[in-house]
Amino acid sequence: MLISQQAILTDLASLAEKIAERSYAPYSDAACGCIVLLSDGAWVPGVRVENASFPLLIPAAMNAVTTAVAAGRGDIVAASTNTSFGGADRDYLAAFLPDARFDGNIARSSRAIPPIGDRLNPLIHAGSRNGVDLMGLARSAASRAHVPESNFPVGCILEVGNGGLIPGCNVE
């Protein structure tokens, strides 16, 4: 059974609605979620994150895109938010989806939109960090940085509670 492109985009928007609940927006109360869809159907969630101790706001689209890029995936074909794309989210996503058509809460490229598959798991190592070359992993993450302005790649590794390691890199 073939799934229509519109049905896939509708499902993507539903995922964005659900993921928005994980947003951390205690100051603006503007919960926002974004899902980016990759060329093989894998998807990456992102949420708005606010922090009062430092003037920092991570928009949902930026959160999703940087997670994908740090995991070595820049093959974004579509995205959806639980609100309309605008401002920083729209501009940021357009840099990674240059042929994007924006329609309210949907952004899509001219490429075919695949059926939605599994959530991309950016975990690069499970278990204890004993014996793991964290600097090597951080350098590897830095090699995936997108730094056209500064030409200053930075990589990092985040250890999560279960001993897993998640890569991060700067994405301009």
Side-chain angles (χ1 to χ4, degrees), residues 4-159:
S4 77
Q5 300 280 284
Q6 189 55 48
I8 294 167
L9 294 172
T10 299
D11 290 346
L12 198 65
S14 293
L15 280 172
E17 281 288 334
K18 290 177 187 166
I19 202 69
E21 296 170 4
R22 296 185 184 179
S23 184
Y24 181 72
Y27 309 105
S28 70
D29 206 27
C32 186
C34 178
I35 303 293
V36 295
L37 185 64
L38 307 175
S39 63
D40 63 357
W43 56 277
V44 181
V47 296
R48 179 185 176 100
V49 179
E50 299 173 352
N51 186 335
S53 65
F54 184 76
L56 177 66
L57 163 68
I58 302 172
M62 182 184 291
N63 189 316
V65 169
T66 56
T67 300
V69 171
R73 301 290 303 268
D75 54 324
I76 300 168
V77 296
S80 182
T81 65
N82 64 311
T83 61
S84 290
F85 276 109
D89 271 343
R90 183 182 179 122
D91 294 342
Y92 193 80
L93 190 57
F96 293 89
L97 200 56
D99 64 342
R101 291 183 315 222
F102 289 88
D103 183 17
N105 68 329
I106 299 287
R108 64 169 297 173
S109 74
S110 57
R111 294 174 279 168
I113 308 298
I116 298 172
D118 294 329
R119 179 175 171 174
L120 180 73
N121 183 354
L123 202 64
I124 59 171
H125 182 280
S128 170
R129 66 181 170 152
N130 293 336
V132 175
D133 178 14
L134 293 176
M135 286 299 290
L137 291 174
R139 284 186 188 99
S140 178
S143 73
R144 293 187 290 274
H146 179 76
V147 290
E149 299 297 321
S150 70
N151 197 27
F152 190 78
V154 176
C156 69
I157 299 296
L158 173 68
E159 184 174 11

